[in-house]
Amino acid sequence: NEVVMYRAASGGGLTLTGRFPTGGLGLGSGLGSQGALILSSNGQWLFVVNAGSNEISVFSVKSNGLVFADKVASGGVRPISLTVRKNFLYVLNAGDPGNISGFKLNGNGKLTPLANSTRFLSNNGSGAAPGPAQVSFTPDGANLVVTEKGTNLIDTYKVQKNGLTTGPVTHPSSGLTPFGFAFGKDDALIVSEAFGGAVNGSAVSSYQVDGNDFHLV
């Protein structure tokens, strides 16, 4: 499990500049997720999942490469997706039964588990995980969003000032197999839909997220 870094030239060409072990284990296969490695908004920290050893690794980003800063347990099984806003980071754990768990980030890149931050997905912690794909803060930081491939649901959690969340509130996806997503104009949530991998079956839908209000655009 390692991070591979490339330098981009002005013309778009890429040059390999380094390979950096995470200190944890991968699965040896695809994660079926989005957001397995993410940058802090200031570009100073890189966060990476170790899905095979249930950990998160942190690197300091330098002009000439990455410097290992920290590694912590993910608070669940098989972490696959990360999101960070200011000094709060959340991880999505996809192993049974599935959950999200929060951490606080300090100025040295160290992660500390956020007490009482672990929340279940739509299955309320019972049985198999519902095939989660991605977790992300909304642009205003007021909510967390999680897509579930197995249930065709989109979960939302309200985020309090202390970083803890309430929820989830579940919402039916417009299409089948909601997967990776991003936020666009006017903070619209734009979700890709894999339709179970059907040939020419993929689609995309957009939503407005405002607390528990969730509307298809």
PDB file of all heavy atoms in Angstrom, residues 165-183:
ATOM      1  N   THR A 165     -21.940  14.186  14.877  1.00  0.00           N
ATOM      2  CA  THR A 165     -23.051  14.172  13.937  1.00  0.00           C
ATOM      3  C   THR A 165     -24.282  13.515  14.544  1.00  0.00           C
ATOM      4  O   THR A 165     -24.196  12.750  15.504  1.00  0.00           O
ATOM      5  CB  THR A 165     -22.683  13.399  12.650  1.00  0.00           C
ATOM      6  OG1 THR A 165     -22.479  12.018  12.971  1.00  0.00           O
ATOM      7  CG2 THR A 165     -21.424  13.964  12.009  1.00  0.00           C
ATOM      8  N   THR A 166     -25.427  13.825  13.966  1.00  0.00           N
ATOM      9  CA  THR A 166     -26.672  13.114  14.264  1.00  0.00           C
ATOM     10  C   THR A 166     -27.181  12.512  12.968  1.00  0.00           C
ATOM     11  O   THR A 166     -26.987  13.071  11.894  1.00  0.00           O
ATOM     12  CB  THR A 166     -27.733  14.046  14.853  1.00  0.00           C
ATOM     13  OG1 THR A 166     -28.001  15.115  13.924  1.00  0.00           O
ATOM     14  CG2 THR A 166     -27.262  14.637  16.175  1.00  0.00           C
ATOM     15  N   GLY A 167     -27.846  11.368  13.065  1.00  0.00           N
ATOM     16  CA  GLY A 167     -28.338  10.687  11.867  1.00  0.00           C
ATOM     17  C   GLY A 167     -27.901   9.235  11.865  1.00  0.00           C
ATOM     18  O   GLY A 167     -27.429   8.728  12.886  1.00  0.00           O
ATOM     19  N   PRO A 168     -28.117   8.571  10.742  1.00  0.00           N
ATOM     20  CA  PRO A 168     -28.407   9.174   9.441  1.00  0.00           C
ATOM     21  C   PRO A 168     -29.907   9.332   9.166  1.00  0.00           C
ATOM     22  O   PRO A 168     -30.736   8.640   9.746  1.00  0.00           O
ATOM     23  CB  PRO A 168     -27.830   8.149   8.464  1.00  0.00           C
ATOM     24  CG  PRO A 168     -28.068   6.825   9.152  1.00  0.00           C
ATOM     25  CD  PRO A 168     -27.871   7.112  10.609  1.00  0.00           C
ATOM     26  N   VAL A 169     -30.190  10.256   8.248  1.00  0.00           N
ATOM     27  CA  VAL A 169     -31.483  10.310   7.581  1.00  0.00           C
ATOM     28  C   VAL A 169     -31.259   9.745   6.189  1.00  0.00           C
ATOM     29  O   VAL A 169     -30.322  10.147   5.500  1.00  0.00           O
ATOM     30  CB  VAL A 169     -32.020  11.753   7.510  1.00  0.00           C
ATOM     31  CG1 VAL A 169     -33.328  11.794   6.735  1.00  0.00           C
ATOM     32  CG2 VAL A 169     -32.195  12.327   8.910  1.00  0.00           C
ATOM     33  N   THR A 170     -32.085   8.789   5.783  1.00  0.00           N
ATOM     34  CA  THR A 170     -31.868   8.111   4.499  1.00  0.00           C
ATOM     35  C   THR A 170     -32.811   8.656   3.432  1.00  0.00           C
ATOM     36  O   THR A 170     -33.962   9.003   3.716  1.00  0.00           O
ATOM     37  CB  THR A 170     -32.068   6.596   4.622  1.00  0.00           C
ATOM     38  OG1 THR A 170     -33.399   6.324   5.066  1.00  0.00           O
ATOM     39  CG2 THR A 170     -31.087   6.014   5.633  1.00  0.00           C
ATOM     40  N   HIS A 171     -32.304   8.701   2.206  1.00  0.00           N
ATOM     41  CA  HIS A 171     -33.060   9.241   1.080  1.00  0.00           C
ATOM     42  C   HIS A 171     -32.901   8.299  -0.109  1.00  0.00           C
ATOM     43  O   HIS A 171     -31.777   7.890  -0.427  1.00  0.00           O
ATOM     44  CB  HIS A 171     -32.542  10.623   0.698  1.00  0.00           C
ATOM     45  CG  HIS A 171     -32.319  11.536   1.866  1.00  0.00           C
ATOM     46  ND1 HIS A 171     -33.307  12.324   2.405  1.00  0.00           N
ATOM     47  CD2 HIS A 171     -31.198  11.767   2.613  1.00  0.00           C
ATOM     48  CE1 HIS A 171     -32.815  13.009   3.421  1.00  0.00           C
ATOM     49  NE2 HIS A 171     -31.538  12.689   3.569  1.00  0.00           N
ATOM     50  N   PRO A 172     -33.992   7.947  -0.799  1.00  0.00           N
ATOM     51  CA  PRO A 172     -33.879   7.090  -1.982  1.00  0.00           C
ATOM     52  C   PRO A 172     -33.081   7.783  -3.091  1.00  0.00           C
ATOM     53  O   PRO A 172     -33.280   8.968  -3.362  1.00  0.00           O
ATOM     54  CB  PRO A 172     -35.331   6.864  -2.412  1.00  0.00           C
ATOM     55  CG  PRO A 172     -36.160   7.213  -1.217  1.00  0.00           C
ATOM     56  CD  PRO A 172     -35.392   8.280  -0.484  1.00  0.00           C
ATOM     57  N   SER A 173     -32.174   7.047  -3.698  1.00  0.00           N
ATOM     58  CA  SER A 173     -31.448   7.572  -4.846  1.00  0.00           C
ATOM     59  C   SER A 173     -32.362   7.607  -6.065  1.00  0.00           C
ATOM     60  O   SER A 173     -33.222   6.733  -6.238  1.00  0.00           O
ATOM     61  CB  SER A 173     -30.238   6.678  -5.137  1.00  0.00           C
ATOM     62  OG  SER A 173     -29.642   7.015  -6.371  1.00  0.00           O
ATOM     63  N   SER A 174     -32.183   8.603  -6.922  1.00  0.00           N
ATOM     64  CA  SER A 174     -32.980   8.687  -8.146  1.00  0.00           C
ATOM     65  C   SER A 174     -32.699   7.522  -9.079  1.00  0.00           C
ATOM     66  O   SER A 174     -33.584   7.047  -9.779  1.00  0.00           O
ATOM     67  CB  SER A 174     -32.694  10.009  -8.852  1.00  0.00           C
ATOM     68  OG  SER A 174     -33.364  10.068 -10.091  1.00  0.00           O
ATOM     69  N   GLY A 175     -31.440   7.053  -9.104  1.00  0.00           N
ATOM     70  CA  GLY A 175     -31.053   5.932  -9.948  1.00  0.00           C
ATOM     71  C   GLY A 175     -30.421   4.833  -9.131  1.00  0.00           C
ATOM     72  O   GLY A 175     -30.177   4.985  -7.920  1.00  0.00           O
ATOM     73  N   LEU A 176     -30.134   3.718  -9.771  1.00  0.00           N
ATOM     74  CA  LEU A 176     -29.592   2.566  -9.062  1.00  0.00           C
ATOM     75  C   LEU A 176     -28.080   2.678  -8.860  1.00  0.00           C
ATOM     76  O   LEU A 176     -27.367   3.242  -9.686  1.00  0.00           O
ATOM     77  CB  LEU A 176     -29.911   1.284  -9.846  1.00  0.00           C
ATOM     78  CG  LEU A 176     -31.387   0.971 -10.080  1.00  0.00           C
ATOM     79  CD1 LEU A 176     -31.543  -0.324 -10.883  1.00  0.00           C
ATOM     80  CD2 LEU A 176     -32.150   0.865  -8.771  1.00  0.00           C
ATOM     81  N   THR A 177     -27.610   2.116  -7.761  1.00  0.00           N
ATOM     82  CA  THR A 177     -26.188   2.036  -7.417  1.00  0.00           C
ATOM     83  C   THR A 177     -25.535   3.412  -7.344  1.00  0.00           C
ATOM     84  O   THR A 177     -24.587   3.717  -8.076  1.00  0.00           O
ATOM     85  CB  THR A 177     -25.415   1.141  -8.402  1.00  0.00           C
ATOM     86  OG1 THR A 177     -26.224   0.024  -8.802  1.00  0.00           O
ATOM     87  CG2 THR A 177     -24.137   0.613  -7.766  1.00  0.00           C
ATOM     88  N   PRO A 178     -26.018   4.299  -6.459  1.00  0.00           N
ATOM     89  CA  PRO A 178     -25.341   5.582  -6.284  1.00  0.00           C
ATOM     90  C   PRO A 178     -23.910   5.368  -5.827  1.00  0.00           C
ATOM     91  O   PRO A 178     -23.653   4.562  -4.938  1.00  0.00           O
ATOM     92  CB  PRO A 178     -26.192   6.276  -5.212  1.00  0.00           C
ATOM     93  CG  PRO A 178     -26.859   5.158  -4.459  1.00  0.00           C
ATOM     94  CD  PRO A 178     -27.112   4.105  -5.487  1.00  0.00           C
ATOM     95  N   PHE A 179     -22.993   6.080  -6.456  1.00  0.00           N
ATOM     96  CA  PHE A 179     -21.564   5.779  -6.252  1.00  0.00           C
ATOM     97  C   PHE A 179     -20.832   7.063  -5.857  1.00  0.00           C
ATOM     98  O   PHE A 179     -21.165   7.696  -4.863  1.00  0.00           O
ATOM     99  CB  PHE A 179     -21.002   5.177  -7.550  1.00  0.00           C
ATOM    100  CG  PHE A 179     -19.746   4.364  -7.364  1.00  0.00           C
ATOM    101  CD1 PHE A 179     -19.811   2.995  -7.194  1.00  0.00           C
ATOM    102  CD2 PHE A 179     -18.499   4.964  -7.372  1.00  0.00           C
ATOM    103  CE1 PHE A 179     -18.661   2.239  -7.033  1.00  0.00           C
ATOM    104  CE2 PHE A 179     -17.346   4.221  -7.204  1.00  0.00           C
ATOM    105  CZ  PHE A 179     -17.420   2.856  -7.038  1.00  0.00           C
ATOM    106  N   GLY A 180     -19.817   7.464  -6.635  1.00  0.00           N
ATOM    107  CA  GLY A 180     -19.061   8.663  -6.306  1.00  0.00           C
ATOM    108  C   GLY A 180     -19.870   9.919  -6.568  1.00  0.00           C
ATOM    109  O   GLY A 180     -20.806   9.927  -7.367  1.00  0.00           O
ATOM    110  N   PHE A 181     -19.508  11.004  -5.870  1.00  0.00           N
ATOM    111  CA  PHE A 181     -20.248  12.250  -6.045  1.00  0.00           C
ATOM    112  C   PHE A 181     -19.338  13.447  -5.814  1.00  0.00           C
ATOM    113  O   PHE A 181     -18.231  13.337  -5.290  1.00  0.00           O
ATOM    114  CB  PHE A 181     -21.459  12.306  -5.101  1.00  0.00           C
ATOM    115  CG  PHE A 181     -21.127  12.204  -3.628  1.00  0.00           C
ATOM    116  CD1 PHE A 181     -20.810  13.337  -2.886  1.00  0.00           C
ATOM    117  CD2 PHE A 181     -21.156  10.972  -2.980  1.00  0.00           C
ATOM    118  CE1 PHE A 181     -20.518  13.245  -1.532  1.00  0.00           C
ATOM    119  CE2 PHE A 181     -20.866  10.872  -1.628  1.00  0.00           C
ATOM    120  CZ  PHE A 181     -20.544  12.012  -0.899  1.00  0.00           C
ATOM    121  N   ALA A 182     -19.841  14.611  -6.214  1.00  0.00           N
ATOM    122  CA  ALA A 182     -19.143  15.877  -6.015  1.00  0.00           C
ATOM    123  C   ALA A 182     -20.192  16.966  -5.857  1.00  0.00           C
ATOM    124  O   ALA A 182     -21.387  16.732  -6.065  1.00  0.00           O
ATOM    125  CB  ALA A 182     -18.219  16.175  -7.195  1.00  0.00           C
ATOM    126  N   PHE A 183     -19.725  18.158  -5.490  1.00  0.00           N
ATOM    127  CA  PHE A 183     -20.638  19.281  -5.329  1.00  0.00           C
ATOM    128  C   PHE A 183     -20.344  20.316  -6.407  1.00  0.00           C
ATOM    129  O   PHE A 183     -19.193  20.653  -6.681  1.00  0.00           O
ATOM    130  CB  PHE A 183     -20.491  19.903  -3.938  1.00  0.00           C
ATOM    131  CG  PHE A 183     -20.978  18.997  -2.844  1.00  0.00           C
ATOM    132  CD1 PHE A 183     -20.105  18.111  -2.230  1.00  0.00           C
ATOM    133  CD2 PHE A 183     -22.309  19.000  -2.458  1.00  0.00           C
ATOM    134  CE1 PHE A 183     -20.551  17.261  -1.228  1.00  0.00           C
ATOM    135  CE2 PHE A 183     -22.757  18.140  -1.462  1.00  0.00           C
ATOM    136  CZ  PHE A 183     -21.879  17.269  -0.845  1.00  0.00           C
TER     137      PHE A 183
END
